[in-house]
Amino acid sequence: AVSGGTQTHLALMDIRSTGVTGKVADERCGAAGITMNKNSIPYDPEKPGVTSGVRVGTPATTTQGMGVEEMKQIASLIARAIASDDASVHASIKTEVHALTARFPIYRA
């Protein structure tokens, strides 16, 4: 996180080290079935429509009952999605996202 940590359910992450902008990361994660937002970071060198960061949150996942192990898996899915510009990789990640969320349904029958 940009601040060195967070006391809330949101984290702002500087992703400049990935070589990908926040806009591209947002698009790639969207293609992989992961919802996040591009977000400016303090003293961001990028334009507001592009950004150097992303904002992620945990409310939906924790409401569904996910915990630490799932958060580790989600972090890996996000990192893999951001790192690739290959649509087939994003499709594969989306399958993993669906498998994970199927284990934690929003509504229990």
Side-chain angles (χ1 to χ4, degrees):
V2 169
S3 65
T6 183
Q7 298 297 315
T8 71
H9 63 279
L10 293 172
L12 173 59
M13 298 184 306
D14 179 343
I15 62 166
R16 289 179 291 178
S17 66
T18 67
V20 174
T21 66
K23 180 179 180 184
V24 170
D26 186 358
E27 291 166 354
R28 289 179 180 180
C29 284
I34 301 166
T35 302
M36 67 163 46
N37 297 96
K38 68 182 186 294
N39 209 100
S40 294
I41 60 171
Y43 309 105
D44 201 330
E46 294 288 349
K47 295 177 182 175
V50 176
T51 79
S52 295
V54 294
R55 181 173 45 110
V56 297
T58 60
T61 55
T62 56
T63 298
Q64 287 175 251
M66 295 184 197
V68 173
E69 291 308 310
E70 290 79 23
M71 297 306 157
K72 290 177 184 177
Q73 183 180 359
I74 292 166
S76 174
L77 293 167
I78 291 170
R80 288 172 39 216
I82 289 173
S84 180
D85 63 357
D86 185 331
S88 65
V89 170
H90 295 147
S92 176
I93 293 168
K94 193 172 198 174
T95 299
E96 292 179 62
V97 168
H98 288 167
L100 173 61
T101 57
R103 293 181 19 227
F104 296 89
I106 295 172
Y107 300 105
R108 306 218 189 276

